[in-house]
């Protein structure tokens, strides 16, 4: 079955088709009609869970807020907060991505929204163009960790982990990564001789907060509501859509009712791609468990090393390599059924810590060729080659690898906030 899976991926089949094909191998080997019925039911259950409904709703909310022209308001706030620091505009890039990630939940949307503004602005101020592109691509990787992240919702709905716990853990990890990005950016920029701008003052800061207050209200309500236990992730997604519609249609009037048709169309296309992937992954997960593949993988790893740390290192290495060739969502659903039981049942990691390890390790692939999703998007937006960006990307790649190691070594980094808020999975 695994040979069929790898073979289909190597010849260029989409990941969902490779997982479906590998699952059908199990049916052909059993030769029972009941097996096909179970596989079909598993796929249908994966696509129709109540929790999964949050994904298209959050995608719709993000699309509404993004097309509503809220980027400038968030960027002005970031400039007022950190623009006067050393490497100010670079720090603005990071802060803007953090703010925007709380609305979009997507790394690609982050690059597409921030790149056309930040890359030329940084280049004009004297930053190397490749550095501007690399920083934009790297800071966008905060989105899959910061709530309401689509990646976290997919993980929680696919592997039955509390989305509230994942949001709480992701919030901690995203803020840690923001700090690390800020420090490495400062270290990289000091030798460029970039001018430092003065502080705008409390009045300008207050104005920036007022302008960005309404856009920032959505993540505060959504994330606060979930973490506070006021509503579920799916209910929060509905609130986010309603909030986005009120803000863009009636308060700012940046979207006309006729604009909702292309917004809904784009959301439907993206949701359909995720839905079929999640459905097939549920079927594939059933086959993986039935064939006892996680135990077989552990036995194979034990032949290489008896050390639990060695096994974890080998798994993380597999995740880093897989992220270079396949996008994170596909990898999550492809490798999750195999890797998660090893972490939780064999090695004793909690569900939440396991999730953060896997998502963080796979996130490195956003910045590594040949796939490098945000890397490629930044090169298109900034009209430069991937090689030009890659020259400056390696420190950010190293930081993300270090973050993964920290998550492994310090369980409290991912578990402290979910435990404090009383969520499961820790």
């Amino acid at each position: 079955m695994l040979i069929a899976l790898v073979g289909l991926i190597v010849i260029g089949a989409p990941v969902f088709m490779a997982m479906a094909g590998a699952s059908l191998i199990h049916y052909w080997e059993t030769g029972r009609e009941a097996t096909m019925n179970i596989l079909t039911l598993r796929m249908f259950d994966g696509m129709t869970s109540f929790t999964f409904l949050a994904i298209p709703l959050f995608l719709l909310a993000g699309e509404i807020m993004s097309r509503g022209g809220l980027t400038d308001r968030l960027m002005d706030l970031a400039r007022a907060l950190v623009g006067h620091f050393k490497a100010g505009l670079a720090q603005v890039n990071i802060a803007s991505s953090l703010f925007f990630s709380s609305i979009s939940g997507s790394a690609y949307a982050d690059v597409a929204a921030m790149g056309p503004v930040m890359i030329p602005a940084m280049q004009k101020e004297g930053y190397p163009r490749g550095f501007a592109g690399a920083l934009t691509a790297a800071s966008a990787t905060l989105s899959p960790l910061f709530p309401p992240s689509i990646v976290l919702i997919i993980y929680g709905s696919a592997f039955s982990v509390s989305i509230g716990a994942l949001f709480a853990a992701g919030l901690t990890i995203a803020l840690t990564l923001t700090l690390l990005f800020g420090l490495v950016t400062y270290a990289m920029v000091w030798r460029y001789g970039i001018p430092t701008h003065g502080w705008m003052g409390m009045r300008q800061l207050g104005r920036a907060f007022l302008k960005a207050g309404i856009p920032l209200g959505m993540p505060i309500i959504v994330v606060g509501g979930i973490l506070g236990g006021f509503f579920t992730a799916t209910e929060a997604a509905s609130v986010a859509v309603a909030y986005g519609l009120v803000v863009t249609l009636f308060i700012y009037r940046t979207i006309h009712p006729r604009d909702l048709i292309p917004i809904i169309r784009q959301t439907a296309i993206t949701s359909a791609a995720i839905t079929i992937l999640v459905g097939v992954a549920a079927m594939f997960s059933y086959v993986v468990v039935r064939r006892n593949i996680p135990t077989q993988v552990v036995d194979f790893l034990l032949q290489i090393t008896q050390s639990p740390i060695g096994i974890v290192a080998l798994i993380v290495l597999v995740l880093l390599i897989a992220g270079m060739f396949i996008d994170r969502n596909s990898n999550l659903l492809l490798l999750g059924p195999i890797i998660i039981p090893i972490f939780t049942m064999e090695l004793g990691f909690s569900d939440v810590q396991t999730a953060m390890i896997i998502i963080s390790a796979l996130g490195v692939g956003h910045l590594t060729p040949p796939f490098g999703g945000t890397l490629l998007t930044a090169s298109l937006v900034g009209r430069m080659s991937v090689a030009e960006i890659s020259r400056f990307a390696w420190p950010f790649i190293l930081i993300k690898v270090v973050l993964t190691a920290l998550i492994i070594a310090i369980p409290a980094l991912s578990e402290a906030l979910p435990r404090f808020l009383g969520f499961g999975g820790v």
Side-chain angles (χ1 to χ4, degrees):
M1 187 187 83
L2 291 179
I3 294 175
L5 176 69
V6 174
L8 287 168
I9 293 175
V10 168
I11 65 174
V15 172
F16 80 90
M17 290 184 64
M19 286 193 288
S23 301
L24 289 176
I25 294 291
H26 175 70
Y27 162 66
W28 288 328
E29 287 182 351
T30 61
R32 295 195 299 267
E33 190 72 26
T35 301
M36 178 57 76
N37 293 336
I38 293 173
L39 293 179
T40 305
L41 286 173
R42 291 283 178 170
M43 182 173 67
F44 184 77
D45 288 343
M47 295 187 294
T48 56
S49 70
F50 177 72
T51 304
F52 182 74
L53 183 60
I55 294 177
L57 289 173
F58 270 126
L59 286 172
L60 179 58
E63 194 73 21
I64 290 170
M65 299 290 275
S66 298
R67 297 205 190 189
L70 306 179
T71 306
D72 291 341
R73 295 172 181 270
L74 297 174
M75 196 174 299
D76 288 343
L77 175 59
R79 194 184 299 271
L81 283 172
V82 300
H84 57 286
F85 294 157
K86 181 67 176 176
L89 194 56
Q91 306 293 356
V92 169
N93 192 328
I94 298 171
S96 298
S97 291
L98 182 67
F99 290 147
F100 191 75
S101 68
S102 66
I103 293 175
S104 70
S106 166
Y108 302 114
D110 198 325
V111 177
M114 295 297 168
V117 180
M118 292 305 310
I119 293 176
M122 291 179 67
Q123 189 180 358
K124 184 177 180 180
E125 197 157 302
Y127 293 87
R129 186 172 66 162
F131 172 77
L135 179 61
T136 302
S139 61
T141 62
L142 294 168
S143 291
L145 292 167
F146 198 88
S149 161
I150 300 302
V151 174
L152 295 180
I153 297 173
I154 291 174
Y155 190 103
S157 59
F159 303 116
S160 301
V161 181
S162 165
I163 292 178
L166 292 178
F167 276 11
L171 180 63
T172 307
I173 302 301
L175 293 177
T176 303
L177 184 58
T178 301
L179 177 61
L180 293 174
F181 277 165
L183 293 174
V184 76
T185 297
Y186 181 90
M188 293 175 70
V189 167
W190 70 267
R191 60 193 177 90
Y192 294 143
I194 305 299
T196 301
H197 301 284
W199 187 46
M200 294 181 178
M202 285 300 298
R203 178 175 294 183
Q204 193 64 29
L205 178 59
R207 288 176 180 173
F209 264 112
L210 286 175
K211 286 180 62 179
I214 293 178
L216 288 176
M218 188 184 85
I220 291 173
I221 293 172
V222 169
V223 178
I226 294 174
L227 299 185
F230 296 104
F231 36 68
T232 66
T234 305
E235 292 165 347
S238 302
V239 171
V241 172
Y243 188 94
L245 288 172
V246 170
V247 169
T248 55
L249 284 175
F250 304 111
I251 298 178
Y252 294 144
R253 297 184 180 180
T254 49
I255 288 182
H256 192 275
R258 64 172 174 269
D259 297 328
L260 292 177
I261 295 176
I263 288 174
I264 293 173
R265 182 188 300 119
Q266 182 59 48
T267 302
I269 292 171
T270 306
S271 300
I274 295 175
T275 300
I276 187 64
L277 191 60
V278 170
V280 172
M283 179 172 65
F284 180 71
S285 298
Y286 167 78
V287 175
V288 165
V289 172
R290 289 288 297 174
R291 298 176 75 95
N292 206 24
I293 290 177
T295 302
Q296 297 175 33
V297 172
V298 170
D299 292 340
F300 172 75
L301 293 175
L302 288 174
Q303 296 176 14
I304 301 175
T305 176
Q306 299 289 322
S307 167
I309 295 298
I311 293 175
V312 171
L314 287 173
I315 293 174
V316 170
L317 180 61
V318 169
L319 292 171
L320 294 175
I321 295 173
M324 295 173 63
F325 300 98
I326 302 174
D327 73 273
R328 177 162 21 194
N329 289 343
S330 299
N331 266 321
L332 211 60
L333 298 171
L334 177 66
L335 300 176
I338 301 172
I339 291 175
I340 291 173
I342 298 175
F343 272 115
T344 57
M345 299 174 65
E346 304 291 339
L347 300 175
F349 288 86
S350 69
D351 290 334
V352 169
Q353 187 183 11
T354 298
M356 292 300 111
I357 293 169
I358 294 174
I359 291 171
S360 178
L362 289 175
V364 178
H366 274 303
L367 300 174
T368 52
F371 179 75
T374 59
L375 204 66
L376 294 175
T377 307
S379 71
L380 293 172
V381 170
R383 298 180 181 178
M384 65 188 92
S385 68
V386 172
E388 187 177 358
I389 299 178
S390 297
R391 279 183 53 212
F392 299 91
W394 66 267
F396 300 109
I397 295 172
L398 181 60
I399 283 296
K400 290 181 71 66
V401 173
V402 168
L403 177 68
T404 304
L406 289 175
I407 296 171
I408 295 170
I410 310 173
L413 193 60
S414 53
E415 295 178 355
L417 187 55
R419 183 176 285 112
F420 175 77
L421 295 172
F423 289 112
V426 294

